[in-house]
Amino acid sequence: MCIKYAMPGTYIPINYLPVAIIMLISSLIGLGALVVGLLVRPRRPYAQKLYPYESGNPPIGDPRVPFNVKFYIVAMLFVVFDVEAVFLYPWAVAYGQLGIFGFVEMMLFIVVLLVGYIYVWKKGAFNWE
Amino acid sequence: MSLTGIIATLPETLVIFLKTFIAVNILMLHIAYVVYFERKVIGHMQARLGPMRVGWHGLLQPIADGVKLFFKEDIIPSSADKPIFYIAPVIGVVAAISSLAVIPMWDGFSIADLNIGLLYILALSSIGSYAIILSGWASTSKYAFIGSLRSAAQVISYEIAMGMSLVGIMLLAGSASLSDIVTAQQGGVFNWFIFKQPLAFFVFVMAAIAETNRAPFDLPEAETEIVAGYFTEYSGIRFGLFFMAEYAGMFIMSAMAAVCFLGGWSGPIPGVPGIVWFLFKVYGFIFFYFWIRATLPRYRYDQLMSLGWKLFIPLALANIVITGLVKIL
């Protein structure tokens, strides 16, 4: 990867070019498969065939059924823990240079998080009965 | 970017394009034969032969299956949310295949050697959960809806455990680039991170199985409870795309295990090319997936969630603390 600056002042993130290309190719594979399927497959729809699957019966009621609020709690906890993980990654990479200071700092952070974690556990957010 | 800039980088872009195209196509071939491999392995573990009819010992079976899927009628529920229904499997495939970009396959070769390779893979596996939730929402079917909710909750829960188990690897390697991680494991089998991070390896393996929705954590598609889960309403090649995404995800997770814990392209015997070691480890791990599937019964949903939140996350956190402590001493 020799070209970082094709012109003075014009930064081209060439390391990320293959990423853009692979995303392009994989979406072409996905869409291409759909197009080929569109060209070769038969199409004989009738009303009963187009029902959503409900074990052979005509569907009853609204398909968007009310669901357990636990799913929201899991989603919120995910945000909390994922943000924490995002703090951990750069810390882990730079740990060699941070030394004892970095260790103590991160332990404080983990302890704060742990308090919240124990609170959530005691509140029963992880129980699915 | 100016026009001169584009022209100056055109030859390189073309080379990268060709390289990527070839690599992706080889991956597709591997995915097709991972399906065959699974059917054979599971078959023999159940004292059957697996596919035998199409070609010698069923070797052409994946191709026959692929062709068949193209010719199947595409049935979309009339109440479905059409644009979202169309786009969901494509998102799944793009997220699964694009992860290949940062995997180092042999010394000095990966499609894109990003310095944030690990983050890139974790980010893409998060995007994969969009395919799940969108397909379930757009199908307007109760089974698909419940399956997608379960699956999304499962994937995001185990993603935390997986991300935290990889922090230990980053601590040891001092880098998030996958090729740096392999380089840090050079010099003998005992430098592999599986020996330095056994706890992280355990958490990673379990999280990888849950993340790719495989048995015994295949709750989202538990046939006995919710038919086929989030892709209940998908048929023909759209179903094929979801299937492809699942197996590509499995291949990528096996490659991650090989790169992060098993030394990537390095091996104990000198003279053997790196790609051989790499594929050997990847297929070993894929075999492990099948072995687990043939051995263990499925978990219950509440067991699955409490296992993730109450066991794997604390274990991964403890692993980070221990690793940090050992490295500072």
Side-chain angles (χ1 to χ4, degrees), chain A residues 8-127:
Chain A
T10 328
Y11 176 66
I12 304 164
I14 195 129
N15 278 333
Y16 288 86
L17 187 62
V19 173
I21 289 173
I22 199 168
M23 284 180 176
L24 182 76
I25 290 176
S26 49
S27 39
L28 285 181
I29 287 174
L31 295 173
L34 292 184
V35 169
V36 172
L38 192 69
L39 295 178
V40 298
R41 70 188 167 218
R43 200 178 131 69
R44 289 184 285 273
Y46 49 87
Q48 284 79 9
K49 205 188 243 178
L50 300 182
Y51 281 160
Y53 180 76
E54 219 156 279
S55 310
N57 297 318
I60 302 162
D62 189 2
R64 270 106 195 221
V65 288
F67 55 89
N68 199 329
V69 72
K70 291 272 170 167
F71 287 109
Y72 283 111
I73 297 175
V74 166
M76 272 186 333
L77 287 176
F78 169 72
V79 173
V80 173
F81 278 87
D82 217 36
V83 168
E84 189 224 352
V86 166
F87 282 124
L88 281 172
Y89 296 142
W91 169 78
V93 170
Y95 190 61
Q97 290 113 60
L98 291 176
I100 192 96
F101 168 73
F103 180 73
V104 173
E105 198 74 8
M106 193 43 82
M107 284 313 109
L108 284 175
F109 180 65
I110 289 179
V111 164
V112 170
L113 186 99
L114 218 55
V115 172
Y117 176 76
I118 292 167
Y119 173 77
V120 172
W121 188 328
K122 289 288 173 221
K123 277 283 173 187
F126 304 143
N127 294 328

Side-chain angles (χ1 to χ4, degrees), chain B residues 12-92:
Chain B
E12 274 203 37
T13 311
L14 210 62
V15 169
I16 296 170
F17 188 86
L18 279 177
K19 202 166 82 170
T20 314
F21 189 74
I22 293 168
V24 168
N25 278 295
I26 291 173
L27 176 75
M28 303 294 278
L29 205 65
H30 274 282
I31 292 166
Y33 277 90
V34 165
V35 180
Y36 171 78
F37 183 45
E38 169 162 34
R39 294 179 65 180
K40 274 288 180 197
V41 168
I42 297 284
H44 281 278
M45 281 179 177
Q46 296 170 346
R48 295 183 286 115
L49 287 174
M52 285 296 281
R53 300 280 174 164
V54 192
W56 185 78
H57 278 250
L59 264 177
L60 298 175
Q61 185 72 44
I63 294 159
D65 284 344
V67 171
K68 183 193 74 177
L69 282 173
F70 277 111
F71 284 94
K72 283 288 175 189
E73 187 179 354
D74 183 34
I75 300 164
I76 301 171
S78 47
S79 57
D81 203 337
K82 297 273 172 1
I84 300 177
F85 191 90
Y86 293 155
I87 204 72
V90 181
I91 293 175

Side-chain angles (χ1 to χ4, degrees), chain B residues 278-289:
Chain B
F278 175 73
L279 283 178
F280 178 70
K281 288 165 187 169
V282 169
Y283 276 95
F285 201 79
I286 289 177
F287 176 79
F288 179 71
Y289 260 108

Side-chain angles (χ1 to χ4, degrees), chain A residues 3-12, chain B residues 1-6 8-9:
Chain A
I3 307 174
K4 274 252 158 73
Y5 296 90
M7 280 176 61
T10 328
Y11 176 66
I12 304 164
Chain B
M1 192 159 67
S2 68
L3 191 66
T4 20
I6 294 174
T9 51

Side-chain angles (χ1 to χ4, degrees), chain B residues 132-277:
Chain B
I132 295 168
I133 204 120
L134 289 180
S135 62
W137 177 258
S139 298
T140 61
S141 159
K142 294 187 188 93
Y143 289 119
F145 186 56
I146 296 168
S148 75
L149 279 176
R150 277 184 172 198
S151 179
Q154 170 182 339
V155 167
I156 61 177
S157 300
Y158 278 83
E159 180 143 326
I160 298 168
M162 171 180 278
M164 284 186 178
S165 70
L166 292 173
V167 170
I169 299 295
M170 283 189 243
L171 275 172
L172 288 186
S175 167
S177 149
L178 290 177
S179 55
D180 286 356
I181 288 172
V182 177
T183 313
Q185 298 175 72
Q186 296 303 306
V189 170
F190 290 102
N191 279 345
W192 293 359
F193 285 157
I194 184 174
F195 298 109
K196 296 177 180 170
Q197 294 274 312
L199 198 59
F201 183 66
F202 173 70
V203 174
F204 176 84
V205 168
M206 292 303 140
I209 294 171
E211 185 84 2
T212 45
N213 293 332
R214 299 285 306 176
F217 304 128
D218 56 345
L219 268 298
E221 41 195 280
E223 305 90 350
T224 45
E225 298 171 30
I226 44 172
V227 195
Y230 56 89
F231 50 69
T232 303
E233 296 298 341
Y234 282 84
S235 52
I237 194 63
R238 291 183 208 280
F239 165 77
L241 288 181
F242 271 118
F243 206 68
M244 199 197 278
E246 179 180 333
Y247 280 83
M250 213 162 83
F251 194 89
I252 297 293
M253 281 304 154
S254 305
M256 282 280 283
V259 165
C260 293
F261 291 97
L262 302 173
W265 36 257
S266 58
I269 305 164
V272 181
I275 183 76
V276 175
W277 285 120

